[in-house]
Amino acid sequence: MSFIVTLYVPEGIVMAADSRLTMNFQKKLPDGTSLFQSFIASDTNQKLYLINERFGLSLCGEAAINNIPLAGFINTFEERISSNTDVTEIPEALIKYFKEIGNNPRITFHLSGYRVEEGISIPYVYIGHVSESKFLRVNYRNDQIYYGCSWGGDSDIFARLILPARVKKNRGEWKELPYYEIPYNFFTLQDAIDFAIYAIRTTIQTIRFQTRPKTVGGPIDVLVLKPGEQPYWIQKKNYHGENALKEISTRL
């Protein structure tokens, strides 16, 4: 699994994702029962992409199709995107593409970009589910632009932090905990960047101490999209060789 986060605030859009790839399988025991096993396959998996230098795409769910990682398929999909492709065309095209190459894969995606309407750059943020052939624009409500945060993947830790919650008391009654809304509409772009990193970093650090599969981890990639500008990376893992590893070890 994974954890992806997208924030849409007045200054722009921030997308972030972790880099861990885990492999899960069931092992048959001699007594006929099954044992679930999970192990970390990589901490350099790509889940956040810049498509055609214009759109942001993040993925969670199944990390491979036909035993081939998704990164290669995304490169092929990008070749289908031209300079004239509109952001509104991509969600449906992406679902169709994944269904062509896979057996109805369980993949969730976030797709973000801008579209010029009457001379103004309008933000579009979509969440899509390939297996259900569904997608929804999440930053538009009641005929106006909506600011907020969307997430996908292993999100239970983060959800408990920012959504309403309650605890069970000794006598069995439930007590509502204090709840404070987050004013995304007042976020600066830097606030959104900090919040996206906080969401994923907190999930990584919490999972570390829990007795559960370590499905979120590795470097955090962060991509920013702003109206009228080319998207750019705030932080992105890079390829490196032996010398780079030696320099890292020396600094540590």
Side-chain angles (χ1 to χ4, degrees):
M1 190 55 87
S2 313
F3 189 40
I4 58 176
V5 178
T6 301
L7 286 103
Y8 24 102
V9 299
E11 289 185 44
I13 302 168
V14 176
M15 305 181 72
D18 76 302
S19 300
R20 178 154 294 175
L21 173 64
T22 54
M23 299 186 68
N24 306 319
F25 60 92
Q26 296 280 350
K27 181 179 180 181
K28 284 285 187 180
L29 300 178
D31 62 2
T33 59
S34 296
L35 176 66
F36 174 81
Q37 292 186 309
S38 175
F39 68 91
I40 299 170
S42 174
D43 267 347
T44 59
N45 191 36
Q46 194 67 33
K47 305 175 186 180
L48 179 58
Y49 303 86
L50 175 57
I51 304 295
N52 198 243
E53 300 298 323
R54 291 189 294 149
F55 312 118
L57 172 67
S58 57
L59 306 169
C60 65
E62 294 186 24
I65 296 177
N66 300 326
N67 294 320
I68 299 175
L70 295 181
F73 294 116
I74 296 301
N75 293 335
T76 302
F77 175 75
E78 187 172 9
E79 295 175 356
R80 300 185 178 191
I81 306 300
S82 70
S83 59
N84 297 321
T85 303
D86 193 276
V87 64
T88 59
E89 303 174 57
I90 297 181
E92 186 174 358
L94 188 62
I95 290 174
K96 181 180 178 181
Y97 173 71
F98 276 133
K99 285 184 173 291
E100 287 176 355
I101 62 176
N103 185 21
N104 209 30
R106 291 182 296 174
I107 296 173
T108 294
F109 64 84
H110 290 186
L111 186 283
S112 301
Y114 282 86
R115 184 172 188 256
V116 177
E117 300 176 1
E118 299 180 356
I120 301 175
S121 295
I122 304 298
Y124 278 75
V125 180
Y126 292 97
I127 294 180
H129 304 281
V130 175
S131 62
E132 300 174 17
S133 299
K134 293 181 180 179
F135 63 90
L136 174 69
R137 184 183 176 192
V138 294
N139 73 321
Y140 193 74
R141 298 182 183 178
N142 301 321
D143 297 324
Q144 62 182 0
I145 299 298
Y146 171 80
Y147 302 112
C149 177
S150 296
W151 55 85
D154 285 321
S155 58
D156 58 294
I157 293 170
F158 182 60
R160 289 175 181 175
L161 285 174
I162 68 168
L163 295 180
R166 58 180 183 168
V167 295
K168 197 170 186 178
K169 301 175 69 174
N170 293 335
R171 296 183 179 180
E173 306 122 339
W174 289 93
K175 178 183 179 182
E176 299 289 335
L177 296 178
Y179 171 65
Y180 306 97
E181 293 187 0
I182 298 175
Y184 297 107
N185 55 306
F186 285 105
F187 272 26
T188 65
L189 195 60
Q190 185 61 60
D191 291 334
I193 293 168
D194 293 342
F195 190 85
I197 295 173
Y198 148 78
I200 298 179
R201 178 60 62 198
T202 301
T203 299
I204 292 173
Q205 293 176 338
T206 303
I207 283 180
R208 172 191 170 193
F209 297 106
Q210 293 179 331
T211 54
R212 61 187 288 179
K214 313 305 180 185
T215 52
V216 183
I220 301 171
D221 291 332
V222 182
L223 178 68
V224 164
L225 298 87
K226 294 182 65 178
E229 298 184 15
Q230 185 173 332
Y232 55 92
W233 293 97
I234 294 298
Q235 57 189 50
K236 185 179 187 296
K237 55 186 173 292
N238 296 311
Y239 298 116
H240 55 73
E242 184 178 7
N243 290 335
L245 291 175
K246 288 180 179 179
E247 291 178 6
I248 294 173
S249 299
T250 301
R251 291 197 297 269
L252 294 176

